[in-house]
Amino acid sequence: REGLDKPKLAEPGRKYRVSVPVGVTSNVFRAGHRIRVEIASSNFPRFDRNRNTGSLQAWERRGVVAEQQVYVKESHVLLPVVH
């Protein structure tokens, strides 16, 4: 949310605007294909788990359950067309 160089815990009950760049991908979508966007709060084991304590993740043994809600006012997925 604010960068890996300055991690900051979220305040309970507060809404945050988050933009998630997905990087470069390449897929072929043919007529009739559908896409789905999934939102998850974890990508383990690809990335380390967030134990939600604010401590250094490598040394933390305990974890705190996080509850998240996604509020969608306006969203979009940009799919450029390449010929």
Side-chain angles (χ1 to χ4, degrees), residues 23-55:
V24 178
T25 61
S26 178
N27 290 292
V28 174
F29 297 105
R30 301 202 187 281
H33 280 189
R34 296 181 292 174
I35 64 169
R36 174 178 61 202
V37 176
E38 292 184 6
I39 299 171
S41 62
S42 174
N43 195 356
F44 181 79
R46 185 173 179 206
F47 299 110
D48 285 340
R49 288 175 270 203
N50 183 344
R51 308 257 184 189
N52 303 308
T53 63
S55 299

Side-chain angles (χ1 to χ4, degrees), residues 50-70:
N50 183 344
R51 308 257 184 189
N52 303 308
T53 63
S55 299
L56 292 173
Q57 299 299 319
W59 307 111
E60 185 63 74
R61 296 219 180 269
R62 66 186 177 93
V64 176
V65 174
E67 294 183 22
Q68 293 131 4
Q69 294 179 332
V70 177

Side-chain angles (χ1 to χ4, degrees), residues 11-23:
E11 295 176 33
R14 181 173 172 197
K15 295 179 186 177
Y16 296 91
R17 179 179 300 271
V18 178
S19 178
V20 182
V22 295

